[in-house]
Amino acid sequence: MVFPDELERWIRPVLQGRTAHVMKSPDQIMEELGIAPEQAIKLNRNENPFGCSPKVNQALADYVTYNLYPDDAQTEFRELISQYVGTTPDRVVGAAGGSHVLDIIVRLFVDPGDEVINCVPTFGLYEFISDLYGAKIVEVPRDGNFDIDVNAIKAAITEKTKLIFLCNPNNPTGNITQQEDLLAVAETGVPVVVDEAYYEFSRETVVPFIAQYPNMMVARTLSKWAGMAGIRLGYGIFTTSIANYLMGIKLPFGISTPAVIALRASLQDKDYLMKNVKQLIAEGERLYQELTQIDFLRPYPSRTNFMFCVVLRGNANEIVEELKRRGILITFYDTPRLRNGFRISVGRREQNDKVIDVLRDIGASLSK
Ligand SMILES: Cc1ncc(COP(=O)(O)O)c(C=O)c1O
C-alpha cells in the first residue's frame, strides 16, 4: 500500500520512506516449501536449540494473576539479576529483550544530528536504532580479523559523538575484542555500550570495570543462554546514576510478569542451562572443525553459539537457498565487509550432522 503523500509529510523526516520489515516467519517459509515446521532446522537467529528450562514452562503454567500489571520498579527482577551478575540492584535496568535495552540507551544519549560510532561489520540493530533517533552513523571498519581499530575509533570521535557501540563477542563474526582494547575505548570518556549478548558462551565481561569507567555500559540478554528469546528479556548494567536515568525514561511496565517468572525459574535451574551452554560450545567447536574440512568454506572461530563462514567457491546465496529447500535455515550475508558468506547458529548434534551432510552434498555438485 502506498502511503498517501499528503500524510507522509507529517512523518518525522528521518523516518519518511521507511517500510515494514517483511521477514517471513520460519514456519511460513517451511509451509511454502511443503516442509513440516517441526522438521525444520532453524539455525538463522542464534536461538538456543535446547529451549528454555522445563521449570520455566511449569512456573508459567502455575501462575494465575496475569490480569495484574507487573512491578514497574522491577524490584524482584533487579534483585535476581544483581545476584546473578554480582552487582547491586540499583545498577540493573531490565527491558523486553537486549534490543530494548539498547533502545533506551540510545534514547538517553542521542539527539538528531549526533554521531554514533559503529564498528562494522557488526550487529545491524545498532545502526537501526541510532537511525530511529536521527543519529549520524560513523562507521569505523574492523580489520581483516574483525578486530576493532582503537586508533581509528579515537580518530573518529568529534564533539558530536554521543555513543560508541562495541559488540563483544561480535555478531555476526563471533570474535572477541581484547579487554585492553575495550578499556582503551572507554578511556576516551565517550559513552560506550559493550553488548555482551553472548557472555555465557564467551565468559568475557567488562562489568567489573564499570566502577572505573562510569561511561561504560553493558547490555545482555536471556534470549541465548537461557533459551528465552520468545519471552523477551534483557538487561543492562550501569552506574547507579545512569541506571536511575534509564529507569526514568523507559516505558512503564516494560518487563512482563511472565518474563520475571521465567527469569526466577531459569536462575533456579542455572546448572541445567549452563550444561546446555557447555554442550553448545562443544558442538560449536565440532561444527567448526567439520566446516574447515569442507573445501569451499572458510569458517571463522567463534566464542558464541554461531559462526561466520565465507564461501570460497560458489555463490553463498545459492547455497543458503539450497539449504532452505532442504529444511535448514541459516543467514546469508553479502555486504561490503562480509562478502559471499553466511552465519550459522550451532544446533543440536543431530541438526549439525544434517547441516554438514547437506553442505558436503552441495560441495560435490560445485565445479572445482
Ligand atoms: C549482539 C546481540 N545483541 C543483542 C541481541 C538482542 O537480543 P534480544 O533482543 O533477543 O535480547 C542479539 C540478538 O541476536 C545480538 O546478537
Side-chain angles (χ1 to χ4, degrees), residues 3-61:
F3 201 81
D5 286 347
E6 68 277 14
L7 276 181
E8 184 145 39
R9 73 185 174 85
W10 294 93
I11 304 281
R12 290 169 52 210
V14 291
L15 301 183
Q16 279 175 15
R18 284 195 170 235
T19 49
H21 293 272
V22 267
M23 241 198 304
K24 282 186 193 163
S25 77
D27 287 356
Q28 263 175 315
I29 295 171
M30 288 302 134
E31 200 181 312
E32 282 170 20
L33 291 166
I35 298 168
E38 60 279 8
Q39 306 266 297
I41 299 181
K42 298 168 187 164
L43 303 177
N44 56 338
R45 289 183 178 167
N46 306 338
E47 291 151 332
N48 189 323
F50 295 114
C52 64
S53 156
K55 287 193 167 46
V56 168
N57 301 105
Q58 192 57 54
L60 289 172

Side-chain angles (χ1 to χ4, degrees), residues 68 137 180 204 233 288-289 300:
L68 302 181
I137 307 287
E180 63 190 55
E204 300 273 344
L233 189 57
Y288 172 79
Q289 290 305 334
Y300 284 81

